Amino acid sequence: TAGEVAEELGYKVYCVGGFVRDLLLSYPNFDIDLVVEGEGEKLAISLAERLGGRVRIHKRFGTAVVIINDDFKIDVATARTEYYEFPAALPKVEKSSLREDLYRRDFTINTLAVALNPDRYGELIDYFGGRRDLEQKYIRILYNLSFIEDPTRIMRAIRFETRYGFTIEPDTLRLAQDAVERRMLGKLSYKRILQELILILSEPDPMPALIRMKEIGVWEYVLPDVDLDRADEGLWRRIPSVVAWFKERYHALYVKTWLVYLGAILALADQESREKFLACYPLDRQALKAVKEIEKAGMVWQEIAAARDIKSSWLDKLINGWEKESLIYLLLLVREEKIWEKIVEYLDRKEKIKLEINGHDLRILGLKPGPVYKKILDELYLLKLDGIVKDKDEEINMVK
Ligand code: ATP
């Protein structure tokens, strides 16, 4: 459809980047990126009309997003057009603007494009040898100054390398090491390093990439005091399955797996370096809260393990209001089935249980309104968490 719309508008449109790469690798990818030779904004609007979606336009970047059914997104970018003095040069300009757009990218495997206009539909465009590198499993930059220009590409190279089981091509690796030695990563803002770190920690198994970062000297710039060799491999390995289990059991759609990994990494650091990290890197409030809870999780777990009788009301005092990621981390620490079951029982009850009476009922029971209401209701809630009070009648009886 994009090709037809482009044709009607007299534009050329291409599907580019990650989607084409993953298509050739048979790797799942649902993010479609289009590059338009013409006005991307106009194409996005017509495409949204045709497909029955919405458009969001980012004027500053010359990009637009078409959103269909709230979850399927198509990014539309305008290829930079160049102005030539002679109109005769026009066809050449058109051709070079896609090339120009692709040349600004990070690696050859990300420079593949597929033409979508009807007359060329499906034609693979490969200006920089991306196809060959996909076959040879190489991550290769496009020009020698690439890493100097944007050192986050070093972290991106490592991410793609470990994700696909590729290798950073030897010349590219040498240039990456060179950029690291020239301390180029030190020029990046903490925000950008954090963004790339989050992307790495969002991969299905981030550990190999972290180890590779250490090998290449990148880890120095992220968390120099954390010794990755000390990571608890067993715990680390269980993260994906415990996250998946938690999401399903508690209907939690959005769990930030990267945050669980980050917590696990920061748990390896001493107090001082952890605080240094938190002071520099701009984590949002929720992430900061989770990291702080995870910091405490080791002690909380020991306390739980040492307790003779683990009641839900007691657990509530310890971990009430914790972020999902922190609860997951706590569960990861637990190896004893009995303790695991107690925590899960608490979380299950927490999800299901609600008091049936409220302030209004207390008034009917003849109690004078005041701070005592909250106290009674809180107390009652804890009794309900422990299964001592079960229904509305029992709640009322208990108050009486
Ligand atoms: P992923 O599967 O991780 O989403 P992607 O290739 O789609 O991979 P994005 O981060 O969404 O990655 O980037 C989209 C495109 O933009 C990439 O194909 C890449 O070529 C380009 N790109 C992203 N970051 C950079 C960068 N720092 N330098 C150059 N090009 C970049």
Side-chain angles (χ1 to χ4, degrees):
T1 315
E4 288 162 13
V5 173
E7 194 71 22
E8 285 164 22
L9 293 165
Y11 302 158
K12 297 218 171 98
V13 65
Y14 308 87
C15 180
V16 299
F19 185 80
V20 182
R21 173 198 69 214
D22 288 341
L23 193 68
L24 292 171
L25 289 173
S26 308
Y27 192 90
N29 188 331
F30 303 102
D31 298 325
I32 296 189
D33 286 302
L34 301 181
V35 167
V36 185
E37 286 177 334
E39 287 181 53
E41 208 175 291
K42 273 198 188 149
L43 181 114
I45 292 167
S46 306
L47 190 59
E49 266 169 24
R50 194 75 58 93
L51 298 173
R54 297 182 286 128
V55 196
R56 215 170 39 215
I57 291 178
H58 306 283
K59 274 230 157 38
R60 209 150 55 92
F61 302 106
T63 59
V65 192
V66 178
I67 304 155
I68 299 150
N69 293 335
D70 280 331
D71 58 6
F72 182 66
K73 289 193 192 119
I74 304 172
D75 281 300
V76 183
T78 305
R80 267 206 219 134
T81 28
E82 283 174 33
Y83 297 97
Y84 282 71
E85 283 181 20
F86 304 107
L90 212 62
K92 221 170 151 192
V93 177
E94 274 185 14
K95 217 175 165 185
S96 72
S97 72
L98 172 71
R99 194 174 196 281
E100 201 37 35
D101 188 280
L102 296 172
Y103 188 63
R104 286 184 290 123
R105 292 176 186 249
D106 44 8
F107 310 114
T108 55
I109 58 164
N110 288 335
T111 61
L112 291 163
V114 173
L116 298 179
N117 284 57
D119 56 332
R120 295 168 68 196
Y121 189 82
E123 184 188 317
L124 184 72
I125 298 158
D126 180 9
Y127 289 125
F128 308 105
R131 184 84 202 250
R132 180 202 56 208
D133 285 338
L134 272 183
E135 275 157 16
Q136 298 189 345
K137 300 179 185 279
Y138 271 152
I139 309 293
R140 185 198 307 266
I141 43 172
L142 283 97
Y143 46 92
N144 286 355
L145 284 176
S146 187
F147 290 130
I148 303 287
E149 208 177 276
D150 179 356
T152 59
R153 290 174 183 160
I154 304 170
M155 291 174 77
R156 292 179 62 84
I158 293 171
R159 181 159 61 91
F160 289 127
E161 185 187 52
T162 47
R163 179 198 289 174
Y164 300 117
F166 280 23
T167 319
I168 300 178
E169 179 276 331
D171 283 332
T172 296
L173 182 63
R174 193 175 45 74
L175 289 161
Q177 282 164 332
D178 201 42
V180 172
E181 269 162 37
R182 289 167 64 182
R183 315 192 69 79
M184 295 313 292
L185 282 149
K187 294 191 196 263
L188 286 173
S189 67
Y190 287 113
K191 186 173 170 197
R192 292 203 63 201
I193 298 187
L194 180 64
Q195 280 168 346
E196 289 303 324
L197 179 66
I198 290 175
L199 288 176
I200 287 176
L201 297 180
S202 304
E203 293 288 323
D205 176 16
M207 192 45 114
L210 299 179
I211 291 169
R212 189 74 164 132
M213 278 166 80
K214 202 173 152 194
E215 269 171 27
I216 298 181
V218 177
W219 191 246
E220 283 285 298
Y221 291 89
V222 183
L223 260 165
D225 306 323
V226 168
D227 182 3
L228 290 169
D229 296 334
R230 286 183 41 232
D232 176 347
E233 215 178 303
L235 179 144
W236 196 272
R237 270 189 207 300
R238 282 185 297 127
I239 291 178
S241 58
V242 175
V243 168
W245 171 87
F246 189 97
K247 280 171 84 167
E248 180 157 339
R249 187 157 187 124
Y250 300 111
H251 316 288
L253 281 178
Y254 303 105
V255 171
K256 292 176 178 147
T257 310
W258 65 264
L259 196 46
V260 182
Y261 282 115
L262 183 65
I265 292 172
L266 287 173
L268 298 173
D270 58 33
Q271 180 85 11
E272 196 187 328
S273 12
R274 200 157 42 222
E275 273 167 18
K276 222 161 71 192
F277 179 91
L278 296 178
C280 299
Y281 288 89
L283 288 175
D284 64 30
R285 267 196 22 216
Q286 184 240 342
L288 205 59
K289 179 167 171 276
V291 166
K292 296 222 158 120
E293 287 159 357
I294 290 174
E295 198 179 318
K296 281 193 290 190
M299 260 164 51
V300 168
W301 166 66
Q302 279 178 3
E303 219 174 309
I304 297 173
R308 261 185 303 121
D309 184 19
I310 306 170
K311 277 195 191 148
S312 287
S313 58
W314 180 69
L315 285 175
D316 198 58
K317 289 191 179 120
L318 288 174
I319 56 178
N320 178 30
W322 271 27
E323 298 294 330
K324 298 183 280 263
E325 292 80 5
S326 324
L327 293 170
I328 290 169
Y329 187 81
L330 179 67
L331 284 166
L332 281 160
L333 292 175
V334 175
R335 305 283 165 112
E336 306 77 358
E337 211 174 312
K338 204 186 94 216
I339 299 178
W340 171 281
E341 279 168 6
K342 287 286 180 190
I343 298 178
V344 170
E345 182 183 61
Y346 159 70
L347 294 174
D348 285 353
R349 286 181 174 174
K350 186 98 191 147
E351 196 183 52
K352 273 197 244 111
I353 282 175
K354 255 181 80 177
L355 275 188
E356 279 165 74
I357 65 167
N358 55 29
H360 180 69
D361 299 298
L362 293 183
R363 191 175 302 195
I364 292 173
L365 285 169
L367 280 158
K368 251 209 203 120
V372 71
Y373 272 30
K374 184 177 180 316
K375 233 170 146 186
I376 293 174
L377 293 174
D378 284 352
E379 199 73 16
L380 209 51
Y381 177 73
L382 293 179
L383 288 171
K384 204 159 181 186
L385 261 188
D386 286 340
I388 295 169
V389 204
K390 292 192 187 64
D391 52 28
K392 189 168 178 177
D393 287 343
E394 288 187 16
E395 285 177 25
I396 292 172
N397 281 335
M398 190 56 86
V399 175
K400 281 181 181 159

